[in-house]
Amino acid sequence: MKGFRFGYVVQLDLPGGPIKIGQSGSPRTRLQTFSAATPCAARMVGITFRGDEREREMLAATDDRKIKGEWRYPTRELLALLGSYHDAGEWFIPVDDHHAHFKAARVVDRVAECAPDLNFTICPNALGYHWANSVLSRVHKIDPTLPLDWAGFVPATDRPTLLWPRTQALAA
C-alpha cells in the first residue's frame, strides 16, 4: 500500500475479546466502521507507526487464532508484541476528545508549516479524504508527531491490555 498507514488493533466487547488487526491512514474512521457494523461495543486498543510491517507482525502473532478474515482471538504473543511496541515508545492510544486535542496541538498551523503549498482544508475528520494519506507521508518526515495529533492519538503511558471489564466478567 502506498502512503502513510498506522497499524491498529480494534477489539470487540465479547467473551474472548475478538480483535481486528489492520492498517489505515484514518484509524478513527476504521473504528467507526467497526462500531456501526458489529452488534456490540468496539474499542481502539491502539495504533503504531509502520502499518504494513506492524500489521504483518501482529497477524503472525495471532495466526493460529483466526476467526474470519483478519478477526482473531488475542494471544499472549500478540500482547507481548504490543508490549514491545509500547516499550519502544511506538504504541499510541486515542484521546477522549479528538477535536479539542486537534485544536490544542495546533495541527492546522503545523501542517501549514510542513506543507505551505497545501490546498486542502485540514480538520480532525480530514484523514478520511483520499488526499490525506499523501499529506501524512509528507508531514511525518518533518514533524513525526503531527500524524498522531491529527488522528487524535497520544503515546500510551500504560502497557496495552486486551481485556475489557465486561469481557472479562462474561468469560469468567
Side-chain angles (χ1 to χ4, degrees), residues 7-8 12 19 26 84 106 135 147-148 160 164 169:
Y8 66 81
L12 299 180
I19 56 169
S26 183
S84 73
R106 299 180 37 259
V135 174
L148 290 173
W164 275 13

Side-chain angles (χ1 to χ4, degrees), residues 10-62:
V10 167
Q11 185 175 39
L12 299 180
D13 193 16
L14 291 170
I19 56 169
K20 168 73 170 81
I21 294 169
Q23 57 177 303
S24 174
S26 183
R28 284 185 176 275
T29 302
R30 293 294 290 152
L31 177 61
Q32 289 171 347
T33 301
F34 298 134
S35 294
T38 61
C40 61
R43 74 175 178 123
M44 180 67 65
V45 176
I47 63 170
T48 185
F49 289 131
R50 300 195 320 247
D52 55 345
E53 176 186 343
R54 295 303 186 221
E55 179 190 36
R56 281 192 303 274
E57 293 170 352
M58 293 186 288
L59 289 173
T62 58

